[in-house]
Amino acid sequence: MMRCHRFRYESPATLREACARMTDAGGEAMLLAGGTDLVPNMKRRQQVPPTIISLRRIPELRETRITDGRIWIGAMTTLASLTTNPDVRNRHPALFKAAAQVATPHLRNMGTLGGNLCLDTRCNYYDQNYEWRKAINFCMKKEGEICWVAPGSPRCWAVSSTDTAPALMALGAQVEVAGVDGERCLPVSELYREDGIEYLSKKRDEILTRVLLPVPVAGEFSTYWKLRRRGSFDFPVLSVAAWIRRDGDGIVEAARLVLGSIASRPLLAPASSILVGSALSEEVIQAVAEEASSLARPLDNTDFSLGWRKKSAHHLIQGALRELRGDNPRELGPIARRAAELVPVF
Ligand SMILES: Cc1cc2nc3c(=O)[nH]c(=O)nc-3n(C[C@H](O)[C@H](O)[C@H](O)COP(=O)(O)OP(=O)(O)OC[C@H]3O[C@@H](n4cnc5c(N)ncnc54)[C@H](O)[C@@H]3O)c2cc1C
Ligand code: SF4
């Protein structure tokens, strides 16, 4: 049995206290939300913080409300409760579909939105137990010198595997982070860095407190498509989140397309210039898929073969856009149909 290392456990009752304790720990402490990622990582000695600061006793981090024309979702909201929230389910299908496809029902009952957004990056050479990693002399992300995926590279290429981040980026959401000096908001897209080790832009002692979602207006549609080995549960190896706003004649007025699990951060695809002004014709969808899938340059550090994952990007992008056009996703070919069928029915 793998056990956690010895650590100090603190459980503050207020956000202010939690911020103060994080700062006092000088960047050495780690936050515990649902623990579904952190605890297994501690058992495998990927993360060995001397102090754990739990967020579980802070009620304000669980609040969800609509204020100033935005939906505020507390970082400690579980993924399970996110999927049963009618505001999320009916108004933001991309977020609903992303949260509903994270892991398994048990893990969604424990796992939180904040923890999902701050999820550690993943790699086949890193997500192994201590003995396995020691046998290859570790790697740059933890205790080693080189990257086994790209040995000449000065950086780590571990992959961002969060499901909700691409969806929130496509929806134009913001996050609020808090520290001893107060709170600040930033777009979800600015929370991430293209670096497998330092993958978050926030300071180490800052706490993600809320996600702020705009309340959608008429004509907005969104979706989230995920590729993974097992439909029952698995991390994404590729994901596509798409959002559009159409006018009364069906012409696209604004659009965002985000690809997940292909880099150390979710990537905003250069699609809006082609989509805006179009009626989502087949030619436009093909052109967007061609342009956006060129971003997918997967490395050999997750599941499936490289070539197949790259080809799948094209199919997933097309499927997501056709769904937004109003096509039935179950009639869109094998890969697209499989992605659509993976969304659990409640
Ligand atoms: C078998 C298995 C399958 C999984 N499949 C998926 C999947 O398909 N998709 C997916 O996205 N995830 C998956 N996960 C990972 C994980 O379960 C989810 O991402 C979950 O949402 C993490 O949330 P948590 O609250 O448990 O985070 P924790 O494990 O508590 O924390 C995760 C990280 O975020 C930090 N953190 C937590 N809360 C905050 C905060 N408020 N502010 C700042 N930092 C914070 C922690 O310090 C830690 O570094 C899987 C995990 C397992 C074990
Ligand atoms: S990408 Fe390279 S450095 Fe990063 S976890 Fe994988 S092997 Fe290690």
Side-chain angles (χ1 to χ4, degrees):
M1 179 197 281
M2 290 193 287
R3 294 181 190 280
C4 289
H5 63 291
R6 291 183 79 83
F7 58 90
R8 181 182 166 84
Y9 180 81
E10 300 187 14
S11 185
T14 65
L15 182 59
R16 179 184 279 221
E17 203 186 329
C19 290
R21 292 197 190 181
M22 282 298 284
T23 302
D24 291 347
E28 294 294 310
M30 285 190 76
L31 294 163
L32 178 78
T36 60
D37 188 56
L38 179 59
V39 174
N41 284 3
M42 291 193 331
K43 290 184 174 180
R44 291 189 293 253
R45 302 295 187 268
Q46 290 158 275
Q47 290 168 323
V48 281
T51 306
I52 292 289
I53 297 176
S54 168
L55 299 174
R56 294 186 189 187
R57 283 207 307 138
I58 306 176
E60 65 194 271
L61 294 182
R62 292 186 190 274
E63 277 173 13
T64 297
R65 61 175 197 271
I66 298 185
T67 307
D68 300 336
R70 293 192 285 188
I71 307 175
W72 297 51
I73 306 173
M76 286 296 285
T77 303
T78 64
L79 297 167
S81 59
L82 206 55
T83 59
T84 53
N85 179 326
D87 284 327
V88 171
R89 203 177 160 141
N90 302 330
R91 298 177 182 204
H92 293 295
L95 179 58
F96 164 71
K97 290 182 180 187
Q101 293 183 81
V102 173
T104 63
H106 299 85
L107 290 160
R108 291 195 293 273
N109 283 338
M110 288 299 290
T112 65
L113 182 58
N116 191 253
L117 288 174
C118 297
L119 186 68
D120 195 8
T121 51
R122 295 179 58 78
C123 170
N124 288 342
Y125 293 90
Y126 171 70
D127 291 299
Q128 306 289 347
N129 65 31
Y130 180 82
E131 287 71 26
W132 193 102
R133 289 184 291 114
K134 188 176 176 195
I136 60 160
N137 204 17
F138 303 101
C139 78
M140 193 191 290
K141 185 158 160 73
K142 179 73 182 161
E143 292 173 80
E145 300 293 324
I146 68 160
C147 170
W148 291 107
V149 174
S153 168
R155 58 159 283 204
C156 162
W157 296 85
V159 178
S160 161
S161 305
T162 149
D163 276 302
T164 61
L168 287 170
M169 265 174 71
L171 293 169
Q174 293 199 319
V175 285
E176 182 190 78
V177 292
V180 279
D181 300 328
E183 289 100 36
R184 64 189 176 101
C185 282
L186 63 159
V188 173
S189 54
E190 289 176 20
L191 180 64
Y192 299 101
R193 303 179 67 231
E194 180 54 353
D195 183 316
I197 298 172
E198 296 294 338
Y199 56 94
L200 293 176
S201 66
K202 72 172 188 62
K203 293 185 207 137
R204 274 173 187 264
D205 60 354
E206 280 181 320
I207 300 174
L208 197 156
T209 49
R210 291 184 189 90
V211 169
L212 286 71
L213 268 171
V215 173
V217 297
E220 286 191 22
F221 303 90
S222 69
T223 190
Y224 178 79
W225 288 48
K226 168 173 177 173
L227 186 70
R228 55 181 162 176
R229 186 172 287 270
R230 292 167 294 187
S232 51
F233 82 100
D234 255 327
F235 282 92
V237 289
L238 171 68
S239 62
V240 175
W243 169 89
I244 56 167
R245 192 180 67 238
R246 300 171 89 174
D247 68 14
D249 299 322
I251 303 298
V252 177
E253 292 179 328
R256 277 187 292 269
L257 186 71
V258 179
L259 304 189
S261 306
I262 53 160
S264 297
R265 53 162 301 154
L267 297 178
L268 185 65
S272 65
S273 58
I274 310 175
L275 284 168
V276 172
S278 82
L280 279 179
S281 65
E282 235 359 76
E283 293 70 38
V284 166
I285 289 177
Q286 291 292 344
V288 172
E290 195 63 42
E291 177 87 21
S293 61
S294 64
L295 276 184
R297 285 185 289 251
L299 289 167
D300 198 9
N301 58 352
T302 62
D303 200 2
F304 294 129
S305 74
L306 293 183
W308 189 76
R309 266 157 62 212
K310 188 159 174 58
K311 271 194 208 148
S312 302
H314 211 274
H315 291 288
L316 250 69
I317 294 165
Q318 287 177 18
L321 292 175
R322 288 181 187 138
E323 185 193 342
L324 294 187
R325 181 172 66 185
D327 296 12
N328 181 350
R330 287 182 166 73
E331 292 167 5
L332 296 177
I335 294 179
R337 186 168 59 245
R338 181 156 160 68
E341 282 168 1
L342 294 179
V343 179
V345 178
F346 293 88

mmCIF file with all atom_site columns, all heavy atoms in Angstrom, residues 17 31 74 79 96 112 129 140 171 185 191 197 206 258 263 316 331 335 342:
data_model
loop_
_atom_site.group_PDB
_atom_site.id
_atom_site.type_symbol
_atom_site.label_atom_id
_atom_site.label_alt_id
_atom_site.label_comp_id
_atom_site.label_asym_id
_atom_site.label_entity_id
_atom_site.label_seq_id
_atom_site.pdbx_PDB_ins_code
_atom_site.Cartn_x
_atom_site.Cartn_y
_atom_site.Cartn_z
_atom_site.occupancy
_atom_site.B_iso_or_equiv
_atom_site.pdbx_formal_charge
_atom_site.auth_seq_id
_atom_site.auth_comp_id
_atom_site.auth_asym_id
_atom_site.auth_atom_id
_atom_site.pdbx_PDB_model_num
ATOM 1   N N   . GLU A 1 17  ? -7.765  33.853 6.980   1.00 0.00 ? 17  GLU A N   1
ATOM 2   C CA  . GLU A 1 17  ? -6.820  33.025 7.742   1.00 0.00 ? 17  GLU A CA  1
ATOM 3   C C   . GLU A 1 17  ? -6.046  32.093 6.796   1.00 0.00 ? 17  GLU A C   1
ATOM 4   O O   . GLU A 1 17  ? -4.830  31.896 6.933   1.00 0.00 ? 17  GLU A O   1
ATOM 5   C CB  . GLU A 1 17  ? -7.643  32.179 8.730   1.00 0.00 ? 17  GLU A CB  1
ATOM 6   C CG  . GLU A 1 17  ? -6.882  31.701 9.937   1.00 0.00 ? 17  GLU A CG  1
ATOM 7   C CD  . GLU A 1 17  ? -7.753  30.744 10.761  1.00 0.00 ? 17  GLU A CD  1
ATOM 8   O OE1 . GLU A 1 17  ? -9.000  30.894 10.775  1.00 0.00 ? 17  GLU A OE1 1
ATOM 9   O OE2 . GLU A 1 17  ? -7.170  29.844 11.361  1.00 0.00 ? 17  GLU A OE2 1
ATOM 10  N N   . LEU A 1 31  ? -2.524  23.650 -1.051  1.00 0.00 ? 31  LEU A N   1
ATOM 11  C CA  . LEU A 1 31  ? -3.941  23.695 -0.672  1.00 0.00 ? 31  LEU A CA  1
ATOM 12  C C   . LEU A 1 31  ? -4.591  22.337 -0.942  1.00 0.00 ? 31  LEU A C   1
ATOM 13  O O   . LEU A 1 31  ? -4.294  21.687 -1.947  1.00 0.00 ? 31  LEU A O   1
ATOM 14  C CB  . LEU A 1 31  ? -4.659  24.767 -1.485  1.00 0.00 ? 31  LEU A CB  1
ATOM 15  C CG  . LEU A 1 31  ? -4.203  26.194 -1.196  1.00 0.00 ? 31  LEU A CG  1
ATOM 16  C CD1 . LEU A 1 31  ? -4.654  27.144 -2.303  1.00 0.00 ? 31  LEU A CD1 1
ATOM 17  C CD2 . LEU A 1 31  ? -4.752  26.655 0.161   1.00 0.00 ? 31  LEU A CD2 1
ATOM 18  N N   . GLY A 1 74  ? -18.289 29.340 -6.348  1.00 0.00 ? 74  GLY A N   1
ATOM 19  C CA  . GLY A 1 74  ? -17.210 29.170 -5.379  1.00 0.00 ? 74  GLY A CA  1
ATOM 20  C C   . GLY A 1 74  ? -16.265 28.049 -5.794  1.00 0.00 ? 74  GLY A C   1
ATOM 21  O O   . GLY A 1 74  ? -16.692 27.038 -6.352  1.00 0.00 ? 74  GLY A O   1
ATOM 22  N N   . LEU A 1 79  ? -17.742 19.108 -8.489  1.00 0.00 ? 79  LEU A N   1
ATOM 23  C CA  . LEU A 1 79  ? -18.115 18.933 -9.896  1.00 0.00 ? 79  LEU A CA  1
ATOM 24  C C   . LEU A 1 79  ? -19.499 18.314 -9.996  1.00 0.00 ? 79  LEU A C   1
ATOM 25  O O   . LEU A 1 79  ? -20.270 18.632 -10.894 1.00 0.00 ? 79  LEU A O   1
ATOM 26  C CB  . LEU A 1 79  ? -17.068 18.065 -10.598 1.00 0.00 ? 79  LEU A CB  1
ATOM 27  C CG  . LEU A 1 79  ? -15.673 18.701 -10.628 1.00 0.00 ? 79  LEU A CG  1
ATOM 28  C CD1 . LEU A 1 79  ? -14.627 17.683 -11.038 1.00 0.00 ? 79  LEU A CD1 1
ATOM 29  C CD2 . LEU A 1 79  ? -15.628 19.906 -11.551 1.00 0.00 ? 79  LEU A CD2 1
ATOM 30  N N   . PHE A 1 96  ? -21.141 22.363 -18.324 1.00 0.00 ? 96  PHE A N   1
ATOM 31  C CA  . PHE A 1 96  ? -21.864 21.192 -17.841 1.00 0.00 ? 96  PHE A CA  1
ATOM 32  C C   . PHE A 1 96  ? -21.238 19.908 -18.409 1.00 0.00 ? 96  PHE A C   1
ATOM 33  O O   . PHE A 1 96  ? -20.926 18.968 -17.671 1.00 0.00 ? 96  PHE A O   1
ATOM 34  C CB  . PHE A 1 96  ? -23.347 21.281 -18.238 1.00 0.00 ? 96  PHE A CB  1
ATOM 35  C CG  . PHE A 1 96  ? -24.061 19.980 -18.130 1.00 0.00 ? 96  PHE A CG  1
ATOM 36  C CD1 . PHE A 1 96  ? -24.348 19.444 -16.882 1.00 0.00 ? 96  PHE A CD1 1
ATOM 37  C CD2 . PHE A 1 96  ? -24.417 19.260 -19.263 1.00 0.00 ? 96  PHE A CD2 1
ATOM 38  C CE1 . PHE A 1 96  ? -24.982 18.213 -16.770 1.00 0.00 ? 96  PHE A CE1 1
ATOM 39  C CE2 . PHE A 1 96  ? -25.046 18.038 -19.159 1.00 0.00 ? 96  PHE A CE2 1
ATOM 40  C CZ  . PHE A 1 96  ? -25.338 17.514 -17.908 1.00 0.00 ? 96  PHE A CZ  1
ATOM 41  N N   . THR A 1 112 ? -13.377 19.279 -6.836  1.00 0.00 ? 112 THR A N   1
ATOM 42  C CA  . THR A 1 112 ? -13.967 20.626 -6.880  1.00 0.00 ? 112 THR A CA  1
ATOM 43  C C   . THR A 1 112 ? -13.573 21.353 -8.172  1.00 0.00 ? 112 THR A C   1
ATOM 44  O O   . THR A 1 112 ? -12.610 20.966 -8.856  1.00 0.00 ? 112 THR A O   1
ATOM 45  C CB  . THR A 1 112 ? -13.462 21.459 -5.689  1.00 0.00 ? 112 THR A CB  1
ATOM 46  O OG1 . THR A 1 112 ? -12.044 21.645 -5.851  1.00 0.00 ? 112 THR A OG1 1
ATOM 47  C CG2 . THR A 1 112 ? -13.755 20.780 -4.358  1.00 0.00 ? 112 THR A CG2 1
ATOM 48  N N   . ASN A 1 129 ? 4.751   5.714  -9.842  1.00 0.00 ? 129 ASN A N   1
ATOM 49  C CA  . ASN A 1 129 ? 5.148   5.738  -8.438  1.00 0.00 ? 129 ASN A CA  1
ATOM 50  C C   . ASN A 1 129 ? 6.648   6.074  -8.294  1.00 0.00 ? 129 ASN A C   1
ATOM 51  O O   . ASN A 1 129 ? 7.377   6.148  -9.282  1.00 0.00 ? 129 ASN A O   1
ATOM 52  C CB  . ASN A 1 129 ? 4.774   4.429  -7.727  1.00 0.00 ? 129 ASN A CB  1
ATOM 53  C CG  . ASN A 1 129 ? 5.531   3.249  -8.280  1.00 0.00 ? 129 ASN A CG  1
ATOM 54  O OD1 . ASN A 1 129 ? 6.664   3.386  -8.727  1.00 0.00 ? 129 ASN A OD1 1
ATOM 55  N ND2 . ASN A 1 129 ? 4.895   2.084  -8.265  1.00 0.00 ? 129 ASN A ND2 1
ATOM 56  N N   . MET A 1 140 ? 12.921  16.090 -15.243 1.00 0.00 ? 140 MET A N   1
ATOM 57  C CA  . MET A 1 140 ? 13.013  17.503 -14.887 1.00 0.00 ? 140 MET A CA  1
ATOM 58  C C   . MET A 1 140 ? 11.844  18.011 -14.022 1.00 0.00 ? 140 MET A C   1
ATOM 59  O O   . MET A 1 140 ? 12.023  18.893 -13.189 1.00 0.00 ? 140 MET A O   1
ATOM 60  C CB  . MET A 1 140 ? 13.023  18.296 -16.208 1.00 0.00 ? 140 MET A CB  1
ATOM 61  C CG  . MET A 1 140 ? 13.395  19.727 -16.142 1.00 0.00 ? 140 MET A CG  1
ATOM 62  S SD  . MET A 1 140 ? 13.024  20.489 -17.745 1.00 0.00 ? 140 MET A SD  1
ATOM 63  C CE  . MET A 1 140 ? 14.250  19.760 -18.795 1.00 0.00 ? 140 MET A CE  1
ATOM 64  N N   . LEU A 1 171 ? -16.069 30.017 -22.790 1.00 0.00 ? 171 LEU A N   1
ATOM 65  C CA  . LEU A 1 171 ? -17.220 30.790 -22.312 1.00 0.00 ? 171 LEU A CA  1
ATOM 66  C C   . LEU A 1 171 ? -16.850 32.204 -21.882 1.00 0.00 ? 171 LEU A C   1
ATOM 67  O O   . LEU A 1 171 ? -17.712 32.987 -21.474 1.00 0.00 ? 171 LEU A O   1
ATOM 68  C CB  . LEU A 1 171 ? -17.879 30.052 -21.133 1.00 0.00 ? 171 LEU A CB  1
ATOM 69  C CG  . LEU A 1 171 ? -18.552 28.712 -21.492 1.00 0.00 ? 171 LEU A CG  1
ATOM 70  C CD1 . LEU A 1 171 ? -18.920 27.937 -20.233 1.00 0.00 ? 171 LEU A CD1 1
ATOM 71  C CD2 . LEU A 1 171 ? -19.789 28.943 -22.350 1.00 0.00 ? 171 LEU A CD2 1
ATOM 72  N N   . CYS A 1 185 ? -9.114  39.752 -10.154 1.00 0.00 ? 185 CYS A N   1
ATOM 73  C CA  . CYS A 1 185 ? -9.755  38.895 -11.156 1.00 0.00 ? 185 CYS A CA  1
ATOM 74  C C   . CYS A 1 185 ? -8.898  38.844 -12.403 1.00 0.00 ? 185 CYS A C   1
ATOM 75  O O   . CYS A 1 185 ? -8.265  39.838 -12.764 1.00 0.00 ? 185 CYS A O   1
ATOM 76  C CB  . CYS A 1 185 ? -11.117 39.465 -11.543 1.00 0.00 ? 185 CYS A CB  1
ATOM 77  S SG  . CYS A 1 185 ? -12.372 39.131 -10.316 1.00 0.00 ? 185 CYS A SG  1
ATOM 78  N N   . LEU A 1 191 ? -4.768  32.460 -16.505 1.00 0.00 ? 191 LEU A N   1
ATOM 79  C CA  . LEU A 1 191 ? -4.369  31.684 -15.316 1.00 0.00 ? 191 LEU A CA  1
ATOM 80  C C   . LEU A 1 191 ? -3.242  30.702 -15.647 1.00 0.00 ? 191 LEU A C   1
ATOM 81  O O   . LEU A 1 191 ? -2.543  30.233 -14.775 1.00 0.00 ? 191 LEU A O   1
ATOM 82  C CB  . LEU A 1 191 ? -5.590  30.914 -14.777 1.00 0.00 ? 191 LEU A CB  1
ATOM 83  C CG  . LEU A 1 191 ? -5.400  30.043 -13.538 1.00 0.00 ? 191 LEU A CG  1
ATOM 84  C CD1 . LEU A 1 191 ? -5.028  30.903 -12.318 1.00 0.00 ? 191 LEU A CD1 1
ATOM 85  C CD2 . LEU A 1 191 ? -6.669  29.247 -13.229 1.00 0.00 ? 191 LEU A CD2 1
ATOM 86  N N   . ILE A 1 197 ? 5.951   22.646 -15.622 1.00 0.00 ? 197 ILE A N   1
ATOM 87  C CA  . ILE A 1 197 ? 6.263   22.705 -14.183 1.00 0.00 ? 197 ILE A CA  1
ATOM 88  C C   . ILE A 1 197 ? 5.541   23.891 -13.548 1.00 0.00 ? 197 ILE A C   1
ATOM 89  O O   . ILE A 1 197 ? 4.723   23.723 -12.655 1.00 0.00 ? 197 ILE A O   1
ATOM 90  C CB  . ILE A 1 197 ? 7.792   22.781 -13.953 1.00 0.00 ? 197 ILE A CB  1
ATOM 91  C CG1 . ILE A 1 197 ? 8.445   21.509 -14.525 1.00 0.00 ? 197 ILE A CG1 1
ATOM 92  C CG2 . ILE A 1 197 ? 8.113   22.912 -12.457 1.00 0.00 ? 197 ILE A CG2 1
ATOM 93  C CD1 . ILE A 1 197 ? 9.956   21.524 -14.547 1.00 0.00 ? 197 ILE A CD1 1
ATOM 94  N N   . GLU A 1 206 ? -1.383  32.368 -3.527  1.00 0.00 ? 206 GLU A N   1
ATOM 95  C CA  . GLU A 1 206 ? -2.730  32.859 -3.836  1.00 0.00 ? 206 GLU A CA  1
ATOM 96  C C   . GLU A 1 206 ? -3.717  31.694 -3.910  1.00 0.00 ? 206 GLU A C   1
ATOM 97  O O   . GLU A 1 206 ? -3.379  30.602 -4.390  1.00 0.00 ? 206 GLU A O   1
ATOM 98  C CB  . GLU A 1 206 ? -2.735  33.624 -5.160  1.00 0.00 ? 206 GLU A CB  1
ATOM 99  C CG  . GLU A 1 206 ? -2.226  35.053 -5.006  1.00 0.00 ? 206 GLU A CG  1
ATOM 100 C CD  . GLU A 1 206 ? -2.264  35.828 -6.319  1.00 0.00 ? 206 GLU A CD  1
ATOM 101 O OE1 . GLU A 1 206 ? -1.945  35.243 -7.377  1.00 0.00 ? 206 GLU A OE1 1
ATOM 102 O OE2 . GLU A 1 206 ? -2.573  37.021 -6.300  1.00 0.00 ? 206 GLU A OE2 1
ATOM 103 N N   . VAL A 1 258 ? -11.435 26.522 -28.197 1.00 0.00 ? 258 VAL A N   1
ATOM 104 C CA  . VAL A 1 258 ? -10.270 26.252 -27.332 1.00 0.00 ? 258 VAL A CA  1
ATOM 105 C C   . VAL A 1 258 ? -9.944  24.759 -27.399 1.00 0.00 ? 258 VAL A C   1
ATOM 106 O O   . VAL A 1 258 ? -10.838 23.917 -27.318 1.00 0.00 ? 258 VAL A O   1
ATOM 107 C CB  . VAL A 1 258 ? -10.572 26.663 -25.868 1.00 0.00 ? 258 VAL A CB  1
ATOM 108 C CG1 . VAL A 1 258 ? -9.377  26.366 -24.968 1.00 0.00 ? 258 VAL A CG1 1
ATOM 109 C CG2 . VAL A 1 258 ? -10.924 28.155 -25.790 1.00 0.00 ? 258 VAL A CG2 1
ATOM 110 N N   . ALA A 1 263 ? -1.175  20.647 -24.899 1.00 0.00 ? 263 ALA A N   1
ATOM 111 C CA  . ALA A 1 263 ? -0.018  21.468 -24.522 1.00 0.00 ? 263 ALA A CA  1
ATOM 112 C C   . ALA A 1 263 ? -0.045  21.614 -22.997 1.00 0.00 ? 263 ALA A C   1
ATOM 113 O O   . ALA A 1 263 ? -0.909  21.036 -22.329 1.00 0.00 ? 263 ALA A O   1
ATOM 114 C CB  . ALA A 1 263 ? -0.111  22.830 -25.191 1.00 0.00 ? 263 ALA A CB  1
ATOM 115 N N   . LEU A 1 316 ? -12.835 16.167 -34.134 1.00 0.00 ? 316 LEU A N   1
ATOM 116 C CA  . LEU A 1 316 ? -13.526 16.721 -32.953 1.00 0.00 ? 316 LEU A CA  1
ATOM 117 C C   . LEU A 1 316 ? -13.963 18.170 -33.169 1.00 0.00 ? 316 LEU A C   1
ATOM 118 O O   . LEU A 1 316 ? -15.052 18.565 -32.760 1.00 0.00 ? 316 LEU A O   1
ATOM 119 C CB  . LEU A 1 316 ? -12.624 16.620 -31.715 1.00 0.00 ? 316 LEU A CB  1
ATOM 120 C CG  . LEU A 1 316 ? -13.104 15.594 -30.683 1.00 0.00 ? 316 LEU A CG  1
ATOM 121 C CD1 . LEU A 1 316 ? -12.954 14.192 -31.232 1.00 0.00 ? 316 LEU A CD1 1
ATOM 122 C CD2 . LEU A 1 316 ? -12.374 15.720 -29.369 1.00 0.00 ? 316 LEU A CD2 1
ATOM 123 N N   . GLU A 1 331 ? -25.119 11.671 -35.323 1.00 0.00 ? 331 GLU A N   1
ATOM 124 C CA  . GLU A 1 331 ? -25.097 11.309 -36.745 1.00 0.00 ? 331 GLU A CA  1
ATOM 125 C C   . GLU A 1 331 ? -23.849 11.860 -37.429 1.00 0.00 ? 331 GLU A C   1
ATOM 126 O O   . GLU A 1 331 ? -23.832 12.054 -38.639 1.00 0.00 ? 331 GLU A O   1
ATOM 127 C CB  . GLU A 1 331 ? -26.359 11.866 -37.434 1.00 0.00 ? 331 GLU A CB  1
ATOM 128 C CG  . GLU A 1 331 ? -27.625 11.171 -36.948 1.00 0.00 ? 331 GLU A CG  1
ATOM 129 C CD  . GLU A 1 331 ? -28.883 11.911 -37.380 1.00 0.00 ? 331 GLU A CD  1
ATOM 130 O OE1 . GLU A 1 331 ? -28.772 12.897 -38.126 1.00 0.00 ? 331 GLU A OE1 1
ATOM 131 O OE2 . GLU A 1 331 ? -29.966 11.494 -36.943 1.00 0.00 ? 331 GLU A OE2 1
ATOM 132 N N   . ILE A 1 335 ? -15.900 8.930  -34.727 1.00 0.00 ? 335 ILE A N   1
ATOM 133 C CA  . ILE A 1 335 ? -15.186 9.602  -33.627 1.00 0.00 ? 335 ILE A CA  1
ATOM 134 C C   . ILE A 1 335 ? -16.098 10.627 -32.974 1.00 0.00 ? 335 ILE A C   1
ATOM 135 O O   . ILE A 1 335 ? -16.222 10.719 -31.755 1.00 0.00 ? 335 ILE A O   1
ATOM 136 C CB  . ILE A 1 335 ? -13.897 10.292 -34.127 1.00 0.00 ? 335 ILE A CB  1
ATOM 137 C CG1 . ILE A 1 335 ? -12.906 9.233  -34.591 1.00 0.00 ? 335 ILE A CG1 1
ATOM 138 C CG2 . ILE A 1 335 ? -13.267 11.140 -33.026 1.00 0.00 ? 335 ILE A CG2 1
ATOM 139 C CD1 . ILE A 1 335 ? -11.613 9.803  -35.116 1.00 0.00 ? 335 ILE A CD1 1
ATOM 140 N N   . LEU A 1 342 ? -20.270 10.025 -25.033 1.00 0.00 ? 342 LEU A N   1
ATOM 141 C CA  . LEU A 1 342 ? -19.598 9.931  -23.740 1.00 0.00 ? 342 LEU A CA  1
ATOM 142 C C   . LEU A 1 342 ? -20.203 10.859 -22.703 1.00 0.00 ? 342 LEU A C   1
ATOM 143 O O   . LEU A 1 342 ? -19.907 10.758 -21.527 1.00 0.00 ? 342 LEU A O   1
ATOM 144 C CB  . LEU A 1 342 ? -18.108 10.234 -23.900 1.00 0.00 ? 342 LEU A CB  1
ATOM 145 C CG  . LEU A 1 342 ? -17.364 9.204  -24.732 1.00 0.00 ? 342 LEU A CG  1
ATOM 146 C CD1 . LEU A 1 342 ? -15.905 9.584  -24.856 1.00 0.00 ? 342 LEU A CD1 1
ATOM 147 C CD2 . LEU A 1 342 ? -17.473 7.828  -24.118 1.00 0.00 ? 342 LEU A CD2 1
#
